[in-house]
Amino acid sequence: MRYMEVTDEWLYRYMPMADETMIRELEDSTDYTYQFSVRFERKMKRLIWREAHWWLDAGYRQLKRVALLGICVVASVLLLSLSVEGNRIKFFDTVSTMLESSVLYTYFTDEQEGEFQAREPGYLPEGYRETERSLSDIHMFLVFENEKGEMITWEQILVSSGASVGMDMEYDVRETKEVNGKSVVICSYFEGDKYAYCEYKESVFILTADNLPVDEICKMFMFTGYQ
């Protein structure tokens, strides 16, 4: 068997030609007319937006507290009606700041941070099973998936003063549903994707779903205050 010694000189001489050949073959086999689905394009756009707005992530929320206090002067305050102290729907105030294609919710509370009470969905749509669970002292994140690969995420965040959450505003339909005394904002995209936002007691809840009817989402928010 014949062996050939590959030296640096040989590589410098012939690799550019090999690279050019491989690139030409890739270009010839590329389908430049391929059209990605609208759903895929929308998801990628949201992903790119999140990457560009890294400061909305949990790890940076506290770092932006001082800047957000300045923004709050011109922001609108969203308050739920409060009755007797023991019957309050939530224990914090929310300030919303409108950005280019999103809304930033910032929270303020006089309550001392108590024990995190994890509240799981009160209902799970047929065919879905839990595939991921993450739980800490201030946060819970659950993932459910069916055989079609469609996913539901359920996130609960314990509110603290100055914390913030960013939500997409480029949805196609927005509606508010009353579920067991809780206001659940559900935003839908024509491709079928949805997300829901709810403030209850000491927490914020965010649900995302690939393709789930609104009534099923409402059932998932039928948890009780004792869960």
Side-chain angles (χ1 to χ4, degrees), residues 140-194:
M140 179 173 67
F141 183 75
L142 307 176
V143 179
F144 306 95
E145 189 171 352
N146 63 15
E147 293 182 352
K148 298 179 181 178
E150 297 171 331
M151 298 175 60
I152 301 172
T153 67
W154 176 270
E155 185 174 15
Q156 179 185 355
I157 304 168
L158 179 64
V159 165
S160 61
S161 280
S164 59
V165 171
M167 304 297 292
D168 181 35
M169 289 288 288
E170 294 191 330
Y171 47 77
D172 297 305
V173 178
R174 172 191 167 111
E175 52 191 316
T176 301
K177 299 290 185 179
E178 292 297 320
V179 181
N180 288 358
K182 302 181 292 292
S183 292
V184 180
V185 177
I186 302 174
C187 299
S188 306
Y189 302 87
F190 289 151
E191 300 82 10
D193 297 340
K194 294 181 177 67

Coordinates of all heavy atoms in Angstrom, one line a residue, residues 140-194:
M140 N -40.8 28.0 38.5 CA -41.1 26.7 38.0 C -41.3 26.7 36.5 O -41.9 27.6 36.0 CB -42.4 26.1 38.7 CG -42.8 24.7 38.2 SD -44.2 24.0 39.1 CE -45.5 25.1 38.6
F141 N -40.8 25.7 35.8 CA -40.9 25.6 34.4 C -41.2 24.2 34.0 O -40.5 23.3 34.3 CB -39.6 26.1 33.7 CG -39.7 26.1 32.2 CD1 -40.4 27.1 31.5 CD2 -39.1 25.1 31.4 CE1 -40.5 27.1 30.1 CE2 -39.2 25.1 30.0 CZ -39.9 26.1 29.4
L142 N -42.4 24.0 33.3 CA -42.8 22.6 32.9 C -43.0 22.6 31.4 O -43.4 23.6 30.8 CB -44.1 22.2 33.6 CG -44.2 22.3 35.1 CD1 -45.6 22.0 35.6 CD2 -43.2 21.4 35.8
V143 N -42.6 21.4 30.8 CA -42.8 21.2 29.4 C -43.7 20.0 29.2 O -43.4 18.9 29.8 CB -41.5 21.1 28.6 CG1 -41.8 20.8 27.1 CG2 -40.6 22.3 28.8
F144 N -44.7 20.1 28.4 CA -45.6 19.0 28.0 C -45.5 18.8 26.5 O -45.5 19.7 25.7 CB -47.0 19.2 28.5 CG -47.1 19.5 29.9 CD1 -47.2 20.8 30.3 CD2 -47.2 18.5 30.9 CE1 -47.3 21.2 31.7 CE2 -47.3 18.8 32.3 CZ -47.3 20.2 32.6
E145 N -45.6 17.5 26.0 CA -45.5 17.3 24.6 C -46.4 16.1 24.2 O -46.6 15.2 25.0 CB -44.1 16.9 24.3 CG -43.8 16.8 22.8 CD -42.3 16.7 22.5 OE1 -41.5 16.9 23.4 OE2 -42.0 16.5 21.3
N146 N -47.0 16.2 23.0 CA -47.8 15.0 22.5 C -47.0 14.3 21.4 O -45.9 14.6 21.1 CB -49.2 15.5 22.0 CG -49.1 16.5 20.8 OD1 -48.0 16.6 20.2 ND2 -50.1 17.2 20.5
E147 N -47.7 13.3 20.9 CA -47.0 12.4 19.9 C -46.7 13.1 18.6 O -45.8 12.7 17.8 CB -47.9 11.2 19.6 CG -48.0 10.2 20.8 CD -48.8 9.0 20.5 OE1 -49.4 9.0 19.3 OE2 -48.9 8.1 21.3
K148 N -47.4 14.2 18.3 CA -47.2 15.0 17.1 C -45.9 16.0 17.3 O -45.6 16.6 16.3 CB -48.4 15.9 16.8 CG -49.6 15.0 16.4 CD -50.8 16.0 16.1 CE -52.1 15.2 15.8 NZ -53.2 16.1 15.6
G149 N -45.4 16.0 18.5 CA -44.3 16.9 18.7 C -44.7 18.3 19.1 O -43.9 19.2 19.3
E150 N -46.1 18.5 19.3 CA -46.6 19.8 19.7 C -46.3 20.0 21.2 O -46.4 19.0 22.0 CB -48.1 19.9 19.5 CG -48.4 19.8 18.0 CD -49.9 19.7 17.7 OE1 -50.6 19.2 18.6 OE2 -50.3 20.2 16.6
M151 N -45.9 21.2 21.6 CA -45.4 21.4 23.0 C -46.3 22.5 23.7 O -46.8 23.4 23.0 CB -44.0 21.8 23.0 CG -43.0 20.8 22.4 SD -41.3 21.4 22.4 CE -41.0 21.8 24.1
I152 N -46.4 22.3 25.0 CA -46.9 23.3 25.9 C -45.9 23.6 27.0 O -45.3 22.7 27.5 CB -48.3 22.8 26.5 CG1 -49.3 22.5 25.5 CG2 -48.8 23.9 27.5 CD1 -50.5 21.8 26.1
T153 N -45.6 24.9 27.2 CA -44.8 25.2 28.3 C -45.6 26.0 29.4 O -46.5 26.8 29.0 CB -43.6 26.1 27.9 OG1 -44.0 27.4 27.5 CG2 -42.8 25.4 26.8
W154 N -45.3 25.7 30.6 CA -46.0 26.3 31.8 C -44.9 26.9 32.7 O -44.1 26.2 33.2 CB -46.8 25.3 32.5 CG -47.5 25.8 33.7 CD1 -47.0 25.8 35.0 CD2 -48.8 26.3 33.8 NE1 -47.9 26.3 35.9 CE2 -49.1 26.6 35.2 CE3 -49.8 26.6 32.8 CZ2 -50.3 27.2 35.6 CZ3 -51.0 27.2 33.3 CH2 -51.2 27.4 34.6
E155 N -44.9 28.2 32.8 CA -43.9 28.9 33.7 C -44.6 29.7 34.8 O -45.5 30.5 34.5 CB -43.0 29.8 32.8 CG -41.9 30.5 33.5 CD -41.0 31.2 32.6 OE1 -41.4 31.5 31.4 OE2 -39.8 31.5 33.0
Q156 N -44.0 29.6 36.0 CA -44.5 30.4 37.1 C -43.3 31.1 37.7 O -42.3 30.5 38.0 CB -45.2 29.5 38.2 CG -45.6 30.3 39.4 CD -46.2 29.4 40.5 OE1 -46.3 28.2 40.3 NE2 -46.5 29.9 41.6
I157 N -43.5 32.4 37.9 CA -42.4 33.2 38.4 C -42.8 33.9 39.7 O -43.9 34.6 39.7 CB -41.9 34.3 37.4 CG1 -41.5 33.6 36.1 CG2 -40.7 35.1 38.0 CD1 -41.3 34.6 34.9
L158 N -42.1 33.8 40.8 CA -42.4 34.5 42.0 C -42.0 36.0 41.8 O -40.8 36.3 41.5 CB -41.6 33.9 43.2 CG -41.9 34.6 44.6 CD1 -43.3 34.4 45.0 CD2 -40.9 34.0 45.6
V159 N -42.9 36.9 42.1 CA -42.7 38.3 41.8 C -41.9 38.9 42.9 O -42.1 38.7 44.1 CB -44.0 39.1 41.7 CG1 -43.8 40.6 41.8 CG2 -44.7 38.7 40.3
S160 N -40.9 39.8 42.5 CA -40.2 40.6 43.5 C -40.1 42.0 42.9 O -40.1 42.2 41.7 CB -38.8 40.0 43.8 OG -38.0 40.0 42.6
S161 N -40.0 43.0 43.7 CA -39.9 44.4 43.2 C -38.8 44.6 42.3 O -37.6 44.3 42.6 CB -39.8 45.4 44.4 OG -41.1 45.6 45.0
G162 N -39.1 45.2 41.1 CA -38.1 45.5 40.1 C -37.9 44.4 39.1 O -37.3 44.6 38.1
A163 N -38.4 43.2 39.4 CA -38.4 42.1 38.4 C -39.2 42.5 37.2 O -40.2 43.3 37.3 CB -38.8 40.8 39.0
S164 N -38.9 42.0 36.0 CA -39.6 42.3 34.8 C -39.7 41.1 33.8 O -38.8 40.2 33.9 CB -39.0 43.5 34.1 OG -37.6 43.2 33.7
V165 N -40.7 41.1 33.0 CA -40.9 40.1 32.0 C -41.3 40.7 30.7 O -42.1 41.6 30.7 CB -42.0 39.1 32.4 CG1 -42.4 38.1 31.3 CG2 -41.6 38.3 33.6
G166 N -40.6 40.3 29.6 CA -40.9 40.9 28.3 C -41.8 39.9 27.5 O -41.6 38.7 27.5
M167 N -42.8 40.4 26.8 CA -43.8 39.6 26.0 C -43.9 40.2 24.6 O -43.9 41.4 24.4 CB -45.2 39.6 26.7 CG -45.1 39.1 28.1 SD -44.6 37.4 28.3 CE -45.9 36.5 27.5
D168 N -44.1 39.3 23.6 CA -44.2 39.7 22.2 C -45.5 40.4 22.0 O -46.6 40.0 22.6 CB -44.1 38.4 21.4 CG -44.2 38.7 19.9 OD1 -43.7 39.8 19.5 OD2 -44.8 37.9 19.2
M169 N -45.5 41.4 21.1 CA -46.8 42.1 20.8 C -47.2 42.0 19.4 O -48.1 42.6 18.9 CB -46.6 43.6 21.1 CG -46.5 43.9 22.6 SD -48.1 43.8 23.4 CE -48.9 45.2 22.8
E170 N -46.5 41.1 18.6 CA -46.8 40.9 17.2 C -47.8 39.8 17.0 O -47.7 39.1 16.0 CB -45.5 40.8 16.4 CG -44.6 42.0 16.4 CD -43.5 41.9 15.4 OE1 -43.0 40.8 15.1 OE2 -43.1 43.0 14.9
Y171 N -48.7 39.6 17.9 CA -49.7 38.5 17.7 C -50.8 39.0 16.8 O -50.9 40.2 16.4 CB -50.3 38.2 19.1 CG -50.7 39.4 19.9 CD1 -51.8 40.1 19.6 CD2 -49.9 39.9 21.0 CE1 -52.2 41.3 20.3 CE2 -50.2 41.0 21.7 CZ -51.4 41.7 21.4 OH -51.7 42.8 22.1
D172 N -51.7 38.1 16.4 CA -52.8 38.5 15.5 C -54.1 38.7 16.2 O -54.9 39.5 15.8 CB -53.0 37.3 14.4 CG -51.7 37.2 13.6 OD1 -51.3 38.2 13.0 OD2 -51.2 36.1 13.5
V173 N -54.3 38.0 17.3 CA -55.5 38.2 18.1 C -55.2 38.2 19.6 O -54.4 37.3 20.0 CB -56.5 37.0 17.8 CG1 -57.8 37.2 18.6 CG2 -56.9 37.0 16.3
R174 N -55.8 39.1 20.3 CA -55.7 39.1 21.7 C -57.0 39.1 22.4 O -57.9 39.8 22.0 CB -54.9 40.4 22.1 CG -54.8 40.6 23.7 CD -54.3 42.0 23.9 NE -54.5 42.4 25.3 CZ -53.5 42.6 26.2 NH1 -52.3 42.4 25.8 NH2 -53.8 43.0 27.4
E175 N -57.2 38.3 23.4 CA -58.4 38.2 24.1 C -58.2 38.0 25.6 O -57.1 37.3 26.0 CB -59.4 37.1 23.6 CG -58.7 35.8 23.4 CD -59.6 34.8 22.6 OE1 -60.8 34.8 22.8 OE2 -59.0 34.1 21.8
T176 N -59.1 38.4 26.5 CA -58.9 38.3 27.9 C -60.1 37.4 28.4 O -61.2 37.7 28.1 CB -58.9 39.6 28.7 OG1 -57.8 40.4 28.2 CG2 -58.8 39.4 30.2
K177 N -59.7 36.3 29.1 CA -60.7 35.4 29.7 C -60.7 35.4 31.2 O -59.6 35.5 31.8 CB -60.5 34.0 29.2 CG -60.5 33.8 27.7 CD -61.9 33.9 27.2 CE -62.0 33.6 25.7 NZ -63.4 33.7 25.1
E178 N -61.9 35.4 31.8 CA -61.9 35.3 33.3 C -62.0 33.8 33.7 O -63.0 33.1 33.2 CB -63.2 36.0 33.8 CG -63.1 37.6 33.6 CD -61.9 38.2 34.4 OE1 -61.7 37.7 35.6 OE2 -61.2 39.1 33.9
V179 N -61.1 33.3 34.4 CA -61.0 31.9 34.8 C -60.9 31.9 36.3 O -59.9 32.2 36.9 CB -59.8 31.2 34.2 CG1 -59.8 29.8 34.6 CG2 -59.8 31.4 32.7
N180 N -62.0 31.5 37.0 CA -62.0 31.3 38.4 C -61.5 32.6 39.1 O -60.7 32.6 40.1 CB -61.1 30.2 38.9 CG -61.7 28.8 38.6 OD1 -62.8 28.7 38.1 ND2 -61.0 27.8 38.9
G181 N -62.0 33.8 38.6 CA -61.6 35.0 39.2 C -60.3 35.6 38.7 O -59.9 36.7 39.2
K182 N -59.6 34.9 37.9 CA -58.3 35.4 37.4 C -58.5 35.8 35.9 O -59.2 35.2 35.1 CB -57.3 34.2 37.4 CG -57.1 33.6 38.7 CD -56.0 32.5 38.7 CE -56.5 31.3 37.9 NZ -57.6 30.6 38.6
S183 N -57.8 36.9 35.6 CA -57.8 37.4 34.2 C -56.6 36.8 33.5 O -55.5 37.0 33.8 CB -57.6 39.0 34.2 OG -58.8 39.6 34.7
V184 N -57.0 36.1 32.4 CA -55.9 35.4 31.6 C -55.9 36.0 30.2 O -56.9 36.0 29.5 CB -56.2 33.9 31.5 CG1 -55.2 33.2 30.6 CG2 -56.3 33.2 32.9
V185 N -54.8 36.7 29.9 CA -54.7 37.3 28.5 C -54.1 36.2 27.6 O -53.0 35.7 27.8 CB -53.7 38.5 28.6 CG1 -53.5 39.1 27.2 CG2 -54.3 39.5 29.5
I186 N -54.8 35.9 26.5 CA -54.4 34.9 25.6 C -54.1 35.6 24.2 O -55.0 36.3 23.7 CB -55.5 33.8 25.4 CG1 -55.8 33.2 26.8 CG2 -55.0 32.8 24.4 CD1 -56.9 32.2 26.7
C187 N -52.9 35.4 23.7 CA -52.6 36.0 22.4 C -52.3 34.9 21.4 O -51.6 33.9 21.7 CB -51.3 36.8 22.6 SG -51.5 38.2 23.7
S188 N -52.9 35.0 20.2 CA -52.9 34.0 19.2 C -52.3 34.5 17.9 O -52.4 35.7 17.6 CB -54.3 33.4 18.9 OG -55.0 33.0 20.1
Y189 N -51.6 33.6 17.2 CA -51.0 33.8 15.9 C -51.8 33.0 14.9 O -52.3 31.9 15.2 CB -49.6 33.5 15.9 CG -48.7 34.2 16.9 CD1 -48.6 33.7 18.2 CD2 -48.1 35.4 16.6 CE1 -47.9 34.4 19.1 CE2 -47.4 36.1 17.5 CZ -47.3 35.6 18.8 OH -46.5 36.3 19.7
F190 N -52.0 33.5 13.7 CA -52.8 32.8 12.7 C -52.2 31.4 12.4 O -53.0 30.5 12.0 CB -52.8 33.6 11.4 CG -53.7 34.8 11.5 CD1 -53.4 35.9 10.7 CD2 -54.7 34.9 12.4 CE1 -54.2 37.1 10.8 CE2 -55.5 36.0 12.5 CZ -55.2 37.1 11.7
E191 N -50.9 31.1 12.6 CA -50.3 29.8 12.4 C -50.8 28.8 13.4 O -50.5 27.6 13.3 CB -48.8 29.9 12.3 CG -48.3 30.8 11.3 CD -48.3 32.3 11.7 OE1 -48.5 32.5 12.9 OE2 -48.0 33.1 10.9
G192 N -51.4 29.2 14.5 CA -51.8 28.3 15.6 C -51.1 28.5 16.9 O -51.6 28.0 17.9
D193 N -49.9 29.1 16.9 CA -49.2 29.4 18.2 C -50.0 30.3 19.1 O -50.7 31.2 18.6 CB -47.8 30.0 17.9 CG -47.0 29.0 17.1 OD1 -47.3 27.8 17.0 OD2 -46.0 29.5 16.4
K194 N -49.8 30.1 20.4 CA -50.5 30.9 21.4 C -49.6 31.1 22.6 O -48.8 30.3 22.9 CB -51.8 30.3 21.8 CG -52.9 30.3 20.7 CD -54.2 29.7 21.3 CE -55.3 29.6 20.2 NZ -55.0 28.7 19.1

